[in-house]
DNA sequence: TTCCAGGAGAGAG
DNA sequence: CTCTCTCATGGA
């Protein structure tokens, strides 16, 4: 059992339940998930994080690993104040205060968001769970059983029909192709991690099944590029409804969002994305009226 | 039954 | 460049 003390401006719930990872399961107030080959059990009590692992961890490495994965080291309050330009964002950041963008393992993030296209979160989770059960390694933490995310090698050797049987649908060939490209060295994960946002995005988009949105998800949720802006149906809807007040192309949304929120637009996007999922009345008249109101001068937290 | 989901590829204009 | 059609799946 590991404890991390003085974790401030952090919400485990919103971080793990905001659609950036498909691997976490809440049981009571604890979260179970698999991260880089081990089961983790995470429980937040105020500013203390209780952690259990299925592996014998070296404390000196484990705590920094957790800090990085959960993005605890980042000055998120500074980012949020910087993107809190209006009363709407003020409300969103207040409700979800402490939500952070994870730094997830690169291959799992690539594979997961290839599978996410034209799909819903519930089904994506099911596909990833079945792929892990079928091609990953069995792990246990007490009575809890889960499976590691299968390696590129394991998925590259799997028959596409076997991937298909896990429910991947037409995405099976995309997943297989990219796994094979990584095994062959045609696509280098370590190179991707050294590239700028623009370079990494461009390199990712060369793969079949990775378009602009999926590439941006990988850049944001694994590579730490906060300028990445994944535009899915919801983000498009949010910007068209709240800010632009008209039908807009992806290019127009991207230009507006970057000008309005700045270099940490990815963080702003995540708060908006999750806020509208938490608030069914996100687009009612009272909410819309908040957009013109500046955040400055509103009550602090 | 049709529509939708953290879309992308292919083709047409 | 933009628009449209299709892709496999399951829940609403």
């Amino acid at each position: 059992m590991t404890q991390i003390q003085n974790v401030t401006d952090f919400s485990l719930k919103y971080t793990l339940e905001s659609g950036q990872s498909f691997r976490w399961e809440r049981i009571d107030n604890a979260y179970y998930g698999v991260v880089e080959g081990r089961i983790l059990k995470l429980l937040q009590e105020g500013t203390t994080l209780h952690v259990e692992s299925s592996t014998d961890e070296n404390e000196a490495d484990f705590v920094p690993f957790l800090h990085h994965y959960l993005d605890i080291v980042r000055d998120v309050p500074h980012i949020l104040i910087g993107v809190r330009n209006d009363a709407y964002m003020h409300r969103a950041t207040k409700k979800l205060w402490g939500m952070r963008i994870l730094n997830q393992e690169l291959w799992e993030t690539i594979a997961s968001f290839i599978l996410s296209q034209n799909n819903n979160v519930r089904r994506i989770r099911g596909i990833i769970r079945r792929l892990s059960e079928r091609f990953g390694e069995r792990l246990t933490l007490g009575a809890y059983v889960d499976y590691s995310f299968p390696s590129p090698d394991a998925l590259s050797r799997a028959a596409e029909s076997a991937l298909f049987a896990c429910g991947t649908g037409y995405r099976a060939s995309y997943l297989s192709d990219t796994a094979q490209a990584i095994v062959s060295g045609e696509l280098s994960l370590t190179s991707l991690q050294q590239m700028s946002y623009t370079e990494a995005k461009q390199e990712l988009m060369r793969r079949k099944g990775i378009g602009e949105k999926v590439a941006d998800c990988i850049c944001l949720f694994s590579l730490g590029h906060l300028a990445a802006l994944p535009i899915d149906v919801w983000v498009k809807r949010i910007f068209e409804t709240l800010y632009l007040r008209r039908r807009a192309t992806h290019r127009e949304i991207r230009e507006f969002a970057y000008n309005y929120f700045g270099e940490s637009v990815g963080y702003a996007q995540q708060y908006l994305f999750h806020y509208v999922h938490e608030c069914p009345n996100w687009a009612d008249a009272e909410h819309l009226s908040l957009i013109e109101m500046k955040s400055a001068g509103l009550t602090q937290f």
Side-chain angles (χ1 to χ4, degrees), chain A residues 1-2 38-42 50-54 62 141:
Chain A
M1 166 78 86
T2 300
R38 87 271 275 169
I39 296 175
L40 293 181
K41 176 186 177 183
L42 302 178
H50 303 271
V51 186
E52 290 180 50
S53 171
S54 63
F62 189 48
L141 175 60

Side-chain angles (χ1 to χ4, degrees), chain A residues 6-281:
Chain A
N6 301 320
V7 179
T8 56
D9 306 305
F10 177 78
S11 166
L12 186 66
K13 171 184 171 64
Y14 291 134
T15 300
L16 299 184
E17 293 186 2
S18 55
Q20 41 179 326
S21 174
F22 304 104
R23 292 286 273 171
W24 291 95
E25 181 185 3
R26 183 165 62 82
I27 299 178
D28 297 325
N29 287 324
Y31 290 85
Y32 293 78
V34 181
V35 182
E36 298 187 31
R38 87 271 275 169
I39 296 175
L40 293 181
K41 176 186 177 183
L42 302 178
L43 176 64
Q44 181 175 19
E45 274 184 347
T47 59
T48 301
L49 208 53
H50 303 271
V51 186
E52 290 180 50
S53 171
S54 63
T55 306
D56 287 329
E57 304 283 357
N58 178 344
E59 285 289 307
D61 298 331
F62 189 48
V63 172
F65 161 77
L66 291 168
H67 274 90
H68 179 252
Y69 175 74
L70 296 169
D71 210 32
I72 290 172
V73 289
R74 198 184 298 280
D75 187 354
V76 167
H78 176 76
I79 291 174
L80 296 184
I81 289 167
V83 299
R84 213 174 53 190
N85 301 334
D86 53 73
Y88 194 97
M89 272 300 288
H90 192 105
R91 185 173 291 195
T93 54
K94 183 172 182 178
K95 176 170 178 57
L96 304 177
W97 189 259
M99 178 173 69
R100 292 175 184 252
I101 291 181
L102 296 167
N103 296 112
Q104 301 181 70
E105 197 279 321
L106 180 52
W107 159 240
E108 176 172 340
T109 308
I110 292 173
S112 296
F113 282 94
I114 285 176
L115 296 170
S116 76
Q117 68 159 275
N118 198 25
N119 213 340
N120 60 69
V121 171
R122 177 189 177 85
R123 219 170 75 79
I124 298 163
R125 291 171 61 90
I127 295 168
I128 291 171
R129 181 173 45 74
R130 288 188 289 275
L131 284 171
S132 299
E133 286 171 359
R134 174 71 179 78
F135 299 105
E137 292 179 21
R138 187 175 188 273
L139 305 168
T140 59
L141 175 60
Y144 190 83
V145 179
D146 208 335
Y147 297 81
S148 65
F149 190 81
S151 66
D153 188 59
L155 288 189
S156 72
R157 284 186 282 103
E160 275 187 26
S161 59
L163 302 181
F164 205 85
C166 295
T168 57
Y170 66 91
R171 310 163 193 85
S173 64
Y174 300 157
L175 185 60
S176 183
D177 285 352
T178 299
Q180 288 175 35
I182 290 169
V183 171
S184 74
E186 183 186 347
L187 179 62
S188 164
L189 298 177
T190 55
S191 295
L192 280 171
Q193 286 164 329
Q194 291 162 359
M195 293 178 185
S196 68
Y197 164 48
T198 309
E199 292 170 334
K201 181 173 174 180
Q202 194 171 17
E203 177 68 12
L204 285 164
M205 287 178 65
R206 294 176 60 199
R207 312 309 320 173
K208 271 196 173 180
I210 302 183
E212 185 166 31
K213 190 269 175 183
V214 168
D216 270 326
C217 283
I218 297 164
C219 286
L220 184 59
F221 299 139
S222 178
L223 295 174
H225 296 304
L226 304 191
L229 176 64
I231 303 178
D232 71 331
V233 290
W234 280 98
V235 172
K236 181 169 159 63
R237 196 174 296 159
I238 290 165
F239 278 98
E240 288 180 339
T241 306
L242 297 181
Y243 290 103
L244 298 171
R245 307 286 178 101
R246 61 182 172 81
R247 194 161 169 273
T249 65
H250 285 203
R251 197 183 63 78
E252 291 169 329
I253 291 170
R254 189 171 296 281
E255 186 175 353
F256 168 83
Y258 194 82
N259 288 333
Y260 188 72
F261 290 115
E263 293 190 350
S264 296
V265 61
Y267 246 95
Q269 168 274 151
Q270 191 64 15
Y271 275 79
L272 284 171
F273 176 85
H274 195 47
Y275 183 70
V276 307
H277 283 75
E278 291 276 308
C279 298
N281 60 338

